[in-house]
Amino acid sequence: MTATDRIPVTVLTGYLGAGKTTLLNRILSENHGRKYAVIVNEFGEIGIDNDLIVDADEEVFEMNNGCICCTVRGDLIRIIEGLMKRKGAFDAIVIETTGLADPAPVAQTFFVDDDVRARASLDAIVTVVDARHVLARLEDSHEAEEQIAFADVILLNKTDLVSEQELEEVRQRVRSINGQARLHETRNCVVPLDEVLERGAFDLDRILEIEPNFLSEDDHEHDDAITSVSLKSDAALRPELFMPWLRQLTAEQGQNILRLKGVLAFWGEDQRYVVQGVHMLLDGDHQRDWRPEEPRTSRMVFIGRNLDPEALQRGFESCAVRAS
Amino acid sequence: MRGARELMATLANEMALVHRHGRHILLDGEPTAILWLGATAAVTLGNGSVCWIEDGAEPSACAVHAGAILSACRDPAGAGVVTGGDDGAVRRVLPDGGVEELGRFERGWVEHLVSSPASGLLVAGIGREAVVWTRGATEPSHRYAVGSTIGGLALDGKGKRLGIAHYNGATLVYASTPSSGRLALNWIGSQLACTLSPDGRYLITALQETGLHGWQLPELRDMRMSGYAAKTRSFSWDRRAKWLATSGDARAILWPFEGKTGPMGKAPLLLAERKGALVTRVAFHPRDDVLAVGYSDGTMLLVRPADDRTLLLDDGGAYITALAWSDDGARLGWGDEDGRIGILDMEARA
């Protein structure tokens, strides 16, 4: 089975009342000719109109594999396996998580379980953020911050309920947590669905558009705030240096690294190498040839707590081929 | 060059035993189980139907569930099969097309079904509950709740002791007794498919992390059986319960259960290796020392454990999802994920 045969999975997260179910119903009702299997939490109250709805019970299991922060959603492993027996009944899967869900086990499920990986691929984590309440939520909820940190796509929703000044403050705060996600400002989650669904490969190209931005000290609101660090190297990387560096980094700091993504130019290779990770779990592969006009720049983004931008950049650069 | 390759492929196909002693049938749906009632095979499918296959007759399918059939076993009385669906229904299906509902569990998935002709018990696993039907019951008799979703169910040879695998261990009960005492078997991690030895002395579970965990009863001695490339989903005891065959690697892995301590400190037999493929289903012949092995690349082999000699049954198909011998061992049925069913009939000659 090739990667293109895998069923794309979109994960919807967001704090209670942010508008997840509104977005889900929009996905299901718009006439796009796609059939979705929807996995919802069993305690969900608002009606969802779809042929194929499965109740999840958010069973988070620790993997007994020596990786200290490796948790998976056992229910998702079972449900995805069961759904696959209905061949042709759906084209894509949407998972709606509860407002208090930690996104890490959901994402890690798609890295850890070989049977899930063979059949389904995590297309994007979409986080719906309530522009009016998010700043308060970030003060009192660990999960609200992690949901933003894990996102590939962020819908900054209910923008009509805040002033332009408040909106700018929210924008800044969200960006300081996650500098790489695509950010859409919406009312009632009105967004073109192709900006949300089936983005492909975790929307990796997005990170190529981000310039490295080192945060100044006053950006830190508190010590364990989540931040993004972008790295860049114009010199090609040596895979025999880069791979051990990344493995050691994630082994040592994996608990603090929520997500990482990279598009890399390896010395002597004509194909782009893409890598992504959740905590200590890494997944990398050659993707496609570099285009002739494309600058062969390697970029990485780390999102996490207590990240040291200078040390990361130094480590990254030390994997590059030196100009002689 | 192309012609030669095609010729080779044709020759290879003709060498497979199914072409001389059996047949293929194409069905519309992924087979989730094959069960034999005498010489008649019932194939349960991902499209919710059950297809009956008999000698000299066209296969006949009947719609049973609204969604996929996730689990199936023989009716304890032997008259038909029992199926569990992702529509939350448990139904008894008879070869004449009759369908009877035994239970309905709103918004639940019936992921596991086991039965025993000896005790007459039927047990379904739905979420965190093991639901029991006593002999002849047409609605649930009683149920046992466990702390997390059930990963697998198993009955011993007498059909009385029930093993329930779940997160962080397994639970043993005497399933005919609603107020049965419980024996908690603890082991870290998510426990999936499980099997009880026919004498009830060993419970073996498959782990999410791959590998097996076992408990020897009544001492509750722990056993670890590791070294698998993938999760084990298929277990089969040989007719004397000397060997437990397991799936989940490029080879069929057989653990020795002779003697007082079972496989502890002993090496397993590694049989019928196919590099680059995984064993997905195993089934011991009911009367002979022969193991049928199905692989992820669609290959089907028979292997003799004594000398690892193999015989090609079938090839050219897809991931084998279902496999079973008839009780007399005269017939073997298998199915792959694309809906191709193979029937080996040792009495037939093409």
Side-chain angles (χ1 to χ4, degrees), chain A residues 52 86 89, chain B residues 46-49 63-69 85-89 91 104:
Chain A
L52 192 46
R86 298 189 178 212
Chain B
N47 64 16
S49 64
V64 179
H65 291 273
I69 299 180
D86 64 12
D87 56 359
R91 296 198 167 111
R104 176 169 276 281

Side-chain angles (χ1 to χ4, degrees), chain A residues 39-53:
Chain A
I39 302 173
V40 297
N41 184 270
E42 61 184 322
F43 304 111
E45 285 167 15
I46 303 165
I48 295 157
D49 184 25
N50 193 50
D51 288 340
L52 192 46
I53 298 179

Side-chain angles (χ1 to χ4, degrees), chain A residues 20 25 30 37 44 47 65 87 114 128 155-156 168-169 175 178 191-192 194 224 248 263 272 292:
Chain A
K20 281 191 308 271
N25 275 325
E30 285 197 14
N65 59 359
K87 274 214 175 114
D114 288 340
V128 186
L155 262 60
L156 192 47
E168 180 54 29
E169 198 184 335
R175 273 275 164 255
N178 185 334
V191 62
D194 56 6
D224 66 343
Q248 191 182 353
V263 176
R272 309 204 313 180

Side-chain angles (χ1 to χ4, degrees), chain B residues 27-71:
Chain B
L27 298 181
D28 182 25
E30 176 177 327
T32 54
I34 290 185
L35 304 157
W36 289 91
L37 299 176
T40 303
V43 184
T44 65
L45 295 163
N47 64 16
S49 64
V50 172
C51 184
W52 297 95
I53 298 172
E54 262 181 289
D55 290 346
E58 285 295 305
S60 70
C62 65
V64 179
H65 291 273
I69 299 180
L70 298 175
S71 56

